[in-house]
Amino acid sequence: MRFIVQVRIEHDRLPDAEGVADAEGVAGVGVEVVDVADLERHELSEATIGLSIDEAKQALAGIQETMATEHAAAALRAASSCRSCGRRFAHKERRELVVRSLYGTIRLANPRWWTCPCADTNRRTFTPLAALIPVRCTPELALVEAKLGAHMSYRAAGDLLGELFPTGRRIHRNEISRTIATIAGRLDAELATDKPCYVDATEALPAGVPEMPLVVTADGGYVHSSNQTSRRDGWFQAVCGTVTTNEGTTRRFGFVPTIDPQPRARLRNTLVAQGVRPDQLITFITDGADDLANLTDRMNLTAEYVLDWFHIAMRFKVLANTATNLTWTPDLKDPEPDEQWCTAAVDEMRDDIARAKWFLWHGNLHRCRQTLDDALDVLECCDPTTNRDKAIDRLNELDGYLSTNQHRIPNYAERRRAGEPISSATAESAVNQIISKRMVKKQQMRWSPHGAHRLLQVRTRVLDHQLDHDIHRWHTTTPLTIAA
């Protein structure tokens, strides 16, 4: 059995000499049929049913070549005469226009014409197709390259493109890297100008009652650097986070702090995309790092800042684990304290750590720090061991951490009972989803800060299912120019 795939071309109404005249002598619509694929089948099996990948590539490439050639020829015919005087443009030479597409490389005849004498006395040449097709890459190819590059290595993305689509050439990883860089640059260019304070008390508030609070979580992750000169500077930080509405709609953002000149504008852009109002409550949950605190400071009129409970609980857990196997040996010359009292004091010290955590859970920071001071007094009297010194250092670090972020510590138990967020678990998940899965886990690769920042912009848009809309919007206004 033989299957022939054909393309039926119905030309627009043509002059009498080229069209098909009807009974009244008026030119009709020219019809042309072109064979694009010739397939054969004999015995039916699971291997012969339907189309193979190679046959699908052949058919798609043939259809695109026929469509593009005829479409370009029709455009040239429509533009071959001067709109002012109707004179045909004089032909100088013929060139070739190459356009990269998802279904193969398109090569179009691109003549070079002289401008009409009626328009300008200083005649010059122009190529009409170059003006009609200013970008040599179709938006579908840029979109698929960006999506695959956001989920897998650039080399693997190029190989997969060649396996599934009739690209007609090998997609090099540098091409996908350039596409990612171009899209990220366009996204960065659309950011509004950064402001030291977005709070404007004189701004008129919109009518109506604001929606439920937006929850913003942010956290940092580390990426292996390609510019490593020593073991210490082998990693650099990348920040990512989420903005979640009461309905559960989530938008992601990410950037490299050392590269991004306006991270606050990036966060503000994400808030605006989620429909934030000036009088709407925003809950910022961070781990207390200074760079994240500056990122969220003075972002809204009614913003509240909450220190992430997860990071607090982990510090208490590490401290409790370190303060194990400690002993207090009494001085035999001094009858007080005796050995039984010393053992009870060490046990009480461990209970004090758990008690301090309970006080902090209920928002009583003062009693929490008092209890930690009591535990520190006992730790300093314990026998000098490595464990004791580590426990003292970690207790002092925890106390300083709580003191620095005391204005961000609420009553966690009360918020928990009210169903309000107390943890940046979504930010931890975002770090794993945005940064770790693509750049760290099982990805034995190194990144430059610029390369990682560009990928973060594209990956967040892909995960939010917004990149399709972006590229479509760009190509309906100003085309996305990608270097060849």
Side-chain angles (χ1 to χ4, degrees), residues 97-100 110 127-139 474-475 477-484:
L97 184 72
V98 179
V99 181
R100 292 174 289 142
N110 185 25
T127 53
L129 286 188
L132 295 173
I133 310 176
V135 181
R136 304 298 189 265
C137 175
T138 61
W474 294 336
H475 278 271
T477 53
T478 304
L480 184 66
T481 304
I482 299 177

Side-chain angles (χ1 to χ4, degrees), residues 360-437:
L360 192 64
W361 172 254
H362 291 276
N364 195 339
L365 178 62
H366 178 69
R367 289 294 305 276
C368 171
R369 296 186 65 187
Q370 280 186 337
T371 310
L372 288 178
D373 287 339
D374 295 340
L376 179 62
D377 293 339
V378 177
L379 277 174
E380 291 175 344
C381 295
C382 290
D383 295 336
T385 60
T386 305
N387 243 23
R388 187 205 69 165
D389 296 339
K390 287 183 178 179
I392 293 175
D393 292 340
R394 286 171 179 170
L395 193 149
N396 288 327
E397 190 271 337
L398 173 61
D399 184 70
Y401 178 73
L402 297 178
S403 175
T404 303
N405 297 281
Q406 57 184 338
H407 58 288
R408 297 188 179 96
I409 297 178
N411 189 325
Y412 292 100
E414 183 178 306
R415 290 181 63 89
R416 181 70 172 179
R417 288 191 296 268
E420 299 176 353
I422 61 173
S423 172
S424 63
T426 54
E428 299 290 338
S429 176
V431 170
N432 180 59
Q433 184 183 37
I434 299 173
I435 299 177
S436 300
K437 284 186 176 180

Side-chain angles (χ1 to χ4, degrees), residues 165-443:
F165 295 95
T167 55
R169 59 191 174 86
R170 179 176 177 269
I171 305 295
H172 197 270
R173 60 183 179 86
N174 289 342
E175 178 180 336
I176 299 181
S177 177
R178 287 193 296 268
T179 301
I180 295 286
T182 302
I183 295 176
R186 188 70 176 264
L187 291 171
D188 286 344
E190 290 184 343
L191 288 179
T193 306
D194 194 6
K195 298 179 182 179
C197 179
Y198 285 100
V199 177
D200 186 2
T202 63
E203 182 181 358
L205 299 179
V209 180
E211 299 290 336
M212 295 295 289
L214 291 176
V215 179
V216 180
T217 60
D219 203 356
Y222 286 89
V223 181
H224 205 177
S225 174
S226 61
N227 303 322
Q228 180 177 2
T229 58
S230 65
R231 188 169 184 176
R232 174 170 295 185
D233 64 356
W235 301 80
F236 62 87
Q237 187 185 35
V239 174
C240 66
T242 60
V243 179
T244 307
T245 63
N246 185 54
E247 292 79 14
T249 306
T250 300
R251 286 285 185 94
R252 301 164 183 83
F253 63 90
F255 58 90
V256 176
T258 57
I259 299 301
D260 194 355
Q262 43 185 12
R264 286 170 53 83
R266 192 175 306 282
L267 173 58
R268 184 67 182 178
N269 189 64
T270 310
L271 288 170
V272 171
Q274 290 288 64
V276 67
R277 290 170 40 134
D279 57 342
Q280 186 172 358
L281 178 63
I282 303 178
T283 302
F284 293 98
I285 304 179
T286 64
D287 61 358
D290 292 338
D291 53 349
L292 297 181
N294 295 333
L295 173 68
T296 60
D297 190 26
R298 293 176 296 177
M299 188 65 68
N300 216 52
L301 287 170
T302 55
E304 64 172 346
Y305 304 90
V306 176
L307 185 62
D308 174 34
W309 176 255
F310 171 77
H311 288 82
I312 296 176
M314 290 303 297
R315 280 176 165 82
F316 272 101
K317 183 176 180 61
V318 172
L319 175 61
N321 291 340
T322 308
T324 56
N325 301 325
L326 297 179
T327 57
W328 185 354
T329 303
D331 190 355
L332 298 179
K333 299 179 181 179
D334 186 3
E336 291 290 343
D338 58 15
E339 184 174 352
Q340 184 177 2
W341 186 91
C342 292
T343 302
V346 173
D347 293 339
E348 182 69 18
M349 177 268 298
R350 298 192 187 97
D351 293 338
D352 283 343
I353 295 175
R355 194 178 298 113
K357 181 180 178 182
W358 186 88
F359 283 132
L360 192 64
W361 172 254
H362 291 276
N364 195 339
L365 178 62
H366 178 69
R367 289 294 305 276
C368 171
R369 296 186 65 187
Q370 280 186 337
T371 310
L372 288 178
D373 287 339
D374 295 340
L376 179 62
D377 293 339
V378 177
L379 277 174
E380 291 175 344
C381 295
C382 290
D383 295 336
T385 60
T386 305
N387 243 23
R388 187 205 69 165
D389 296 339
K390 287 183 178 179
I392 293 175
D393 292 340
R394 286 171 179 170
L395 193 149
N396 288 327
E397 190 271 337
L398 173 61
D399 184 70
Y401 178 73
L402 297 178
S403 175
T404 303
N405 297 281
Q406 57 184 338
H407 58 288
R408 297 188 179 96
I409 297 178
N411 189 325
Y412 292 100
E414 183 178 306
R415 290 181 63 89
R416 181 70 172 179
R417 288 191 296 268
E420 299 176 353
I422 61 173
S423 172
S424 63
T426 54
E428 299 290 338
S429 176
V431 170
N432 180 59
Q433 184 183 37
I434 299 173
I435 299 177
S436 300
K437 284 186 176 180
R438 178 62 179 88
M439 303 183 188
V440 182
K441 293 181 177 179
K442 298 182 181 179
Q443 303 286 340

